[in-house]
Amino acid sequence: MVLLRALEPADAAVIASWIDDQEALVLWSGKTGFTWPFDAGQLLALREPGRRLLAAVDPAVDPAVDPAVDRAADPAGAVIGHVSLRDQDDHSVRLGLVLVAPSARGKGHGAALVGAALATAFAGPGVTRVTLGVYAHNAGARRLYERFGFEEERVYERSIEVGGQWWTSVTMGLTREAWRAGR
């Protein structure tokens, strides 16, 4: 189980520590304009009206007891992830900046995080769909999104150059009806 709450400054420092190189930064953040070396200030600067930066907290992990989990101290549990929800003009929400702590990966937290983010996004009565962007070679993330019912909508060849290689990006979308049907 994962709970989402507003990102706090101490969370941003922890989350920034999970990004260990330029490629990981771009894979996570796309074209947000973040620069390497990445720091908490860049993430906090993204706070703006219409964008919710959320920390994912696992209440089953006691931050005082489990030193293997990177986290900010939180009475609700350990910070194990991050996600952003940005309102769009067309009754949709853009899901982005999905990240799970390295020490928490492979334990189902990614699915719990996306599930909680979708529930939060679709809680808005006027929200009819959620979109996201993912790089084509990020097969694990794409499979996760497809399990929730996201479908590929558009492919952007040569979207961004990273380390001398061109990456292709994919826009995926999920309607409220498809989300309800898959729950």
Side-chain angles (χ1 to χ4, degrees):
M1 179 172 141
V2 169
L3 304 174
L4 297 179
R5 62 160 171 74
L7 180 79
E8 298 173 2
D11 304 330
V14 171
I15 292 161
S17 76
W18 301 338
I19 307 296
D20 55 7
D21 62 26
Q22 172 73 27
E23 186 173 314
L25 177 62
V26 175
L27 189 65
W28 170 59
S29 67
K31 296 180 179 181
T32 57
F34 291 152
T35 58
W36 185 254
F38 182 65
D39 60 46
Q42 293 181 64
L43 181 56
L44 292 171
L46 217 72
R47 293 186 288 194
E48 60 188 28
R51 181 189 300 257
R52 292 167 278 178
L53 299 177
L54 304 169
V57 178
D58 182 350
V61 178
D62 180 352
V65 175
D66 188 350
V69 177
D70 296 327
R71 75 259 182 234
D74 188 303
V79 174
I80 54 87
H82 176 270
V83 66
S84 169
L85 297 172
R86 185 170 37 115
D87 297 333
Q88 305 291 288
D89 292 336
D90 61 352
H91 303 288
S92 69
V93 170
R94 182 78 170 185
L95 175 70
L97 299 173
V98 178
L99 185 64
V100 174
S103 59
R105 293 178 187 156
K107 300 174 184 177
H109 291 300
L113 172 58
V114 171
L118 289 172
T120 300
F122 283 122
V127 176
T128 59
R129 58 190 241 110
V130 173
T131 63
L132 60 83
V134 62
Y135 289 108
H137 68 279
N138 192 348
R142 290 184 70 179
R143 280 191 305 273
L144 174 63
Y145 300 139
E146 288 167 354
R147 284 196 328 244
F148 280 95
F150 279 92
E151 294 182 355
E152 187 175 294
E153 295 181 345
R154 186 153 184 200
V155 175
Y156 300 89
E157 300 289 335
R158 298 173 60 93
S159 174
I160 192 168
E161 187 178 8
V162 180
Q165 300 289 319
W166 282 100
W167 289 5
T168 297
S169 64
V170 178
T171 296
M172 301 179 82
L174 175 68
T175 65
R176 178 185 291 273
E177 293 78 23
W179 174 68
R180 282 184 179 155
R183 290 176 63 192

